[in-house]
Amino acid sequence: MNETVNPPKNITLVGAELSSKLNEKNINALHSDTDFEQKLRNRKLDYSKSYDISREEVQRALNKNKDLKLIIDIHRDTIPKEESTVKIDGKNYVKVVLYVSKANKTYFAQSLNLAKTLNDELEKMNPGLSRGVILKDSPNTYNQDIFPELALISVGGPENTLEEEYRTIEKIAEVIQKVTNE
């Protein structure tokens, strides 16, 4: 998802960095740089329709790539820096939170298991990096109903730097490597 809570630090760059780090670890990763905000404007839709638009992208990716094993949907949180930052080994990292939709009746158990697995590994390897798993009581499935291994992750906040976000992305890539190798 291409959120621009803070336009100079577009969250798309964070997704591109994750893709790059995974490819470095010999995990074939694809990245979408689709500008969802522009698509919303072009269709004269408000932000509440973001997942309708991104659903099209996820479906296209699934149709083109039958071997996909994991989809990561990255967003930027809206919390202030003092809540979105943690110091690990003397360096600032951004905290992450994983969301699971209760409205996802198709793959709820798988989505929850994936979120808990990623969260537990993040915390085991880097205590304090995750703010946990949050179950969302909303009618929105966040597209988790169209693929069993889709993780929705918020990374940092609008006041965090790309450097802080990239440090965290490296940790997420390490966790994904560990989880996918098990």
Side-chain angles (χ1 to χ4, degrees):
M1 190 97 195
N2 180 3
E3 286 188 50
T4 51
V5 175
N6 189 341
K9 297 184 302 180
N10 193 315
I11 197 65
T12 301
L13 296 173
V14 177
E17 182 71 3
L18 178 59
S19 180
S20 174
K21 293 297 178 187
L22 291 171
N23 282 314
E24 286 174 15
K25 296 176 183 311
N26 295 316
I27 297 171
N28 188 24
L30 307 170
H31 173 256
S32 170
D33 59 1
T34 301
D35 186 339
F36 291 103
E37 286 189 11
Q38 186 61 49
K39 281 190 166 199
L40 287 169
R41 284 191 295 275
N42 291 348
R43 296 184 190 181
K44 296 179 176 41
L45 299 171
D46 65 37
Y47 185 75
S48 68
K49 299 297 184 188
S50 294
Y51 282 97
D52 295 343
I53 301 296
S54 66
R55 185 180 197 87
E56 296 167 6
E57 184 81 14
V58 171
Q59 199 61 61
R60 257 192 306 281
L62 289 168
N63 290 341
K64 282 185 186 176
N65 307 283
K66 301 295 182 194
D67 296 332
L68 284 179
K69 293 182 175 49
L70 178 65
I71 297 175
I72 304 289
D73 186 359
I74 298 177
H75 293 257
R76 178 171 285 118
D77 214 331
T78 58
I79 59 176
K81 186 167 178 118
E82 55 273 4
E83 294 175 37
S84 66
T85 310
V86 62
K87 196 170 285 279
I88 299 174
D89 297 328
K91 294 182 180 173
N92 282 345
Y93 289 77
V94 296
K95 293 182 181 182
V96 301
V97 64
L98 295 105
Y99 294 102
V100 177
S101 170
K102 289 183 179 180
N104 172 14
K105 304 300 183 209
T106 310
Y107 297 118
F108 177 79
Q110 294 96 322
S111 296
L112 182 59
N113 183 58
L114 174 61
K116 286 181 175 181
T117 299
L118 294 172
N119 179 72
D120 293 350
E121 287 301 322
L122 272 171
E123 279 301 294
K124 192 183 312 178
M125 295 169 71
N126 310 281
L129 194 61
S130 178
R131 293 180 33 233
V133 175
I134 296 177
L135 298 178
K136 295 292 278 183
D137 200 7
S138 154
N140 198 330
T141 65
Y142 308 113
N143 297 327
Q144 292 172 331
D145 63 320
I146 58 175
F147 191 71
E149 300 294 320
L150 189 151
L152 174 58
I153 304 175
S154 282
V155 178
E159 300 170 298
N160 290 109
T161 66
L162 273 175
E163 184 178 28
E164 292 166 340
E165 292 165 343
Y166 286 175
R167 282 188 198 115
T168 295
I169 286 301
E170 175 65 38
K171 301 296 185 183
I172 292 171
E174 290 170 10
V175 165
I176 291 171
Q177 180 182 37
K178 184 175 191 298
V179 168
T180 57
N181 286 336
E182 290 179 347

